[in-house]
Amino acid sequence: MAAAWRCGVFLLVLLLLPLRAAYTRAEFVSEPLASAAGPAAPAESRAADRARTRSVPAPVTDVAKLCVCDLLVAQCDVNCCCDPDCNAADFSLFTTCSVPVVTGDSHLCSQKAAIYSLDVEANPPERIFKLIDQVNPSLFCIHATNYEQALSFRSPEMPTSENFDQLLERFSSAAFSTEPDSWNRNTDAQNPPDANETYRYEYGVPIQTVDAFLRLPSPVVSSWCSDANPAGFLVNQATKCTRSVSVEKCGDVQAVSVLFYINSSILAVPRSSEMVNITVQSLTFQSLNGTRTLLNGSDVLRLPVILDELCVNVVLGVSYHVTYTGTGEIIEAAASFVLGVINKEALSIQQSFQISFTQVNTKPVPLSGNPGYVVGLPVRAGFRPQGYPFPGEILNSNKYSQLTILQSASNQDCLAAQGARAQILFGYNMMSGCKLRITAATKCQPLTQTLLDLLKGQNFPEYVASFGNSQAQDVLDWVPITHLHTSEQSSCQIPVSLEIEVKWTKYGSLVNPQARIVNVTASITTTPLKQLPPGRERIIPVTSSVVFTDLSSPAEPGYKAWPTINVKLPFDFFFPFV
């Protein structure tokens, strides 16, 4: 019995030892720290030091004066309980508070919060305002900071007459993707290339030329063009900017001449002696009224020249097209120009620039998203080739087989609008139409075929891509178009309406859902054509429309099951009792 009592006391001591050690450590930490120079600092001094190094950041804004729903100036916004322009009479007419909680920085662990509510039991109803200390339940929140400037945006330095030149020199050069100083130095002389080292272009690397880099002018501080913007490898860009030019000095401005954009050869790879010349692919002339004409003979160099108080052959647009290999080597570069004319009244012109890249031995296919559709991009469509669905066959998808509808004409004449089509853009509900004039001499069968071609086009696709980046060889990513026909009992039926309904849903993560097309229906409505007496006419409206329907169900986040803890005790844990 005594041995069992001693064992029990020994086990109790073992259980209390960790608690004693923790208590000892707590006491040790709480004791004053003595320095080598003298006694410990007072407790008030230590508390002040800790407050300076670990202080809760002060709120940047007063939440009691912050109101995000106050949109009208000097007027009361409906159901905006924090609007200072509202009085008690306005609050009595409110049904709810559109913004019930107003907080400052959501990253802080503790902050002030303004709570707004309505006391509907009062007569008349009253607004209730409370200012409380709100605690952030997030595990990753800011409890203390020693750099309060990082919690808010810095106020920009306003330009004045004293600092304007300094700001212009600072923000009009390197800060806006201009030529760094390292590009002007002779890097080959400082770092001689290794004979066994191979170079190649990588994504985003500026395309090098003999003198510097391939320039793609772009606006900097204002809309004026800056020629110091480098073109990045595999970075498709499109810019527009304004160039100051006049008829008298158009020959002196290099940026309006074709030579400015083709006179510098591109290096095939960085630090290489192999050069690729920029060839002129096409020349298009734009008149003063905006009409464009493709010029013959792109090999003939056309420079700006003054004719009858007009400056002709001024560059209005440049489009670069670069062909590269899979090893990051540029093998071909071409440029297409839009040339125009300016008169003596013009003081500036607007120029547009763009660059695109194509890998050799590949056919570029424009995408409408990656992977889901992007609102405003065309709905991709295609045909079913012969032999589908046997292996080796793919869907034929190209720019000539897009999903389109009838494009309305200014005169509203259906027969004059043949061939004019408008692309169906994802997310855009569209409707168009025209008027058809029918006489007694109109025949039923030819008119039916004409209206079908007018509504569906010459090549109406059979499939629509589920995603914006669906590949042609992935046949399961293409949705077939379902055709419906609505008609009445009659000997002659003519189609008068085409309604396309695109059903889509949100796919993937809740954080970044992707748009996916799941069903496409094309419905054609016909009407009977009655024979008219001689000399009589009839006007029939013909319409086509497209509607996008969201079938997404309410998003519900899913959670994994709670983990199970499999605890295994040592076999002698209860020794010597068991």
Side-chain angles (χ1 to χ4, degrees):
M1 182 66 182
W5 183 83
R6 286 195 297 271
C7 291
V9 171
F10 177 72
L11 183 61
L12 180 61
V13 170
L14 290 178
L15 294 176
L16 293 177
L17 278 178
L19 299 178
R20 174 60 183 170
Y23 179 73
T24 304
R25 286 194 300 269
E27 289 182 341
F28 177 76
V29 172
S30 63
E31 290 178 357
L33 297 177
S35 62
E44 294 81 0
S45 172
R46 296 197 309 273
D49 293 340
R50 285 197 299 267
R52 283 194 297 267
T53 57
R54 294 175 56 85
S55 60
V56 178
V60 180
T61 57
D62 186 5
V63 293
K65 300 180 180 180
L66 186 64
C67 188
V68 296
C69 58
D70 185 9
L71 304 179
L72 300 178
V73 179
Q75 296 184 28
C76 179
D77 293 82
V78 180
N79 291 336
C80 184
C81 296
C82 57
D83 192 347
D85 299 323
C86 299
N87 51 29
D90 297 326
F91 293 140
S92 63
L93 301 178
F94 286 4
T95 58
T96 183
C97 291
S98 59
V99 181
V101 181
V102 178
T103 58
D105 194 348
S106 60
H107 298 89
L108 301 180
C109 296
S110 178
Q111 60 176 326
K112 293 291 184 179
I115 308 298
Y116 297 92
S117 61
L118 291 177
D119 185 7
V120 295
E121 296 181 355
N123 190 15
E126 299 177 351
R127 184 198 68 169
I128 302 176
F129 169 73
K130 295 180 181 179
L131 191 63
I132 64 173
D133 292 329
Q134 189 180 53
V135 178
N136 190 353
S138 176
L139 184 62
F140 303 98
C141 60
I142 300 176
H143 177 70
T145 180
N146 57 357
Y147 186 62
E148 298 183 5
Q149 291 81 359
L151 299 179
S152 59
F153 293 103
R154 295 180 59 186
S155 300
E157 186 177 358
M158 298 302 296
T160 61
S161 58
E162 290 79 11
N163 63 357
F164 180 80
D165 295 335
Q166 180 183 359
L167 294 178
L168 182 62
E169 181 181 358
R170 178 182 175 185
F171 291 104
S172 64
S173 56
F176 289 88
S177 303
T178 57
E179 181 178 354
D181 297 336
S182 59
W183 293 354
N184 295 330
R185 297 193 299 264
N186 189 359
T187 56
D188 294 339
Q190 298 176 1
N191 301 317
D194 190 359
N196 297 326
E197 186 177 2
T198 58
Y199 298 97
R200 65 174 184 176
Y201 282 109
E202 296 181 355
Y203 177 83
V205 174
I207 299 177
Q208 299 181 11
T209 59
V210 176
D211 51 359
F213 54 88
L214 183 62
R215 294 176 173 88
L216 198 71
S218 63
V220 186
V221 179
S222 60
S223 61
W224 298 105
C225 294
S226 173
D227 298 325
N229 178 40
F233 184 67
L234 297 184
V235 180
N236 296 329
Q237 300 183 56
T239 61
K240 288 185 179 180
C241 56
T242 304
R243 182 87 60 180
S244 177
V245 64
S246 61
V247 175
E248 294 79 7
K249 299 181 180 180
C250 70
D252 300 333
V253 181
Q254 298 181 357
V256 298
S257 175
V258 176
L259 279 178
F260 181 75
Y261 304 98
I262 64 173
N263 60 355
S264 183
S265 300
I266 296 176
L267 301 185
V269 292
R271 299 184 181 183
S272 171
S273 59
E274 184 180 357
M275 296 177 293
V276 178
N277 295 327
I278 302 177
T279 60
V280 179
Q281 188 175 20
S282 64
L283 293 173
T284 305
F285 185 79
Q286 178 175 317
S287 62
L288 288 175
N289 58 6
T291 58
R292 293 188 176 185
T293 305
L294 183 63
L295 301 178
N296 297 326
S298 58
D299 53 344
V300 179
L301 192 60
R302 300 175 183 268
L303 301 179
V305 60
I306 301 177
L307 296 174
D308 298 333
E309 297 184 351
L310 298 176
C311 186
V312 190
N313 297 332
V314 176
V315 175
L316 300 180
V318 183
S319 178
Y320 291 106
H321 186 77
V322 179
T323 304
Y324 67 96
T325 63
T327 59
E329 178 183 359
I330 296 177
I331 61 174
E332 185 180 352
S336 300
F337 293 89
V338 177
L339 305 180
V341 56
I342 59 175
N343 51 25
K344 60 180 181 180
E345 287 81 10
L347 299 177
S348 62
I349 59 173
Q350 187 181 48
Q351 293 179 312
S352 60
F353 305 90
Q354 64 179 359
I355 184 171
S356 59
F357 298 84
T358 302
Q359 188 174 354
V360 65
N361 298 328
T362 59
K363 295 181 179 180
V365 178
L367 303 180
S368 297
N370 188 21
Y373 275 98
V374 177
V375 176
L377 295 183
V379 175
R380 303 177 62 221
F383 293 93
R384 182 180 67 178
Q386 298 294 332
Y388 174 86
F390 296 103
E393 298 291 344
I394 61 175
L395 288 170
N396 178 19
S397 176
N398 52 57
K399 64 180 180 179
Y400 301 106
S401 59
Q402 297 297 329
L403 197 61
T404 60
I405 63 173
L406 171 67
Q407 184 175 356
S408 299
S410 58
N411 54 5
Q412 295 294 316
D413 188 2
C414 290
L415 300 181
Q418 283 184 313
R421 310 292 297 177
Q423 280 190 338
I424 294 180
L425 306 179
F426 183 82
Y428 287 3
N429 297 336
M430 305 169 62
M431 184 175 182
S432 61
C434 58
K435 296 180 180 179
L436 178 65
R437 188 181 302 273
I438 299 177
T439 62
T442 304
K443 302 298 181 181
C444 179
Q445 294 300 330
L447 181 61
T448 301
Q449 187 61 38
T450 301
L451 290 178
L452 279 178
D453 296 340
L454 181 68
L455 293 173
K456 302 177 64 175
Q458 296 294 332
N459 296 316
F460 193 78
E462 301 174 352
Y463 288 82
V464 170
S466 298
F467 296 96
N469 66 343
S470 297
Q471 300 297 322
Q473 59 270 20
D474 300 333
V475 294
L476 297 180
D477 278 353
W478 294 79
V479 178
I481 298 178
T482 304
H483 295 271
L484 300 178
H485 188 78
T486 304
S487 62
E488 300 178 5
Q489 296 294 334
S490 177
S491 59
C492 180
Q493 298 283 338
I494 58 174
V496 294
S497 175
L498 172 63
E499 299 177 359
I500 300 176
E501 184 181 11
V502 181
K503 299 179 180 179
W504 64 281
T505 183
K506 297 176 182 177
Y507 178 83
S509 172
L510 295 176
V511 179
N512 186 22
Q514 303 295 313
R516 175 186 181 183
I517 295 179
V518 295
N519 182 267
V520 179
T521 303
S523 303
I524 291 185
T525 304
T526 60
T527 186
L529 178 62
K530 299 180 181 179
Q531 186 66 29
L532 297 176
R536 298 289 299 274
E537 293 182 353
R538 179 185 176 188
I539 296 178
I540 298 179
V542 179
T543 60
S544 60
S545 62
V546 57
V547 177
F548 288 84
T549 305
D550 185 5
L551 302 180
S552 303
S553 58
E556 296 180 359
Y559 301 96
K560 293 184 178 180
W562 286 97
T564 58
I565 302 176
N566 188 10
V567 180
K568 294 183 179 179
L569 300 177
F571 68 94
D572 57 348
F573 182 78
F574 294 101
F575 180 81
F577 304 102
V578 178

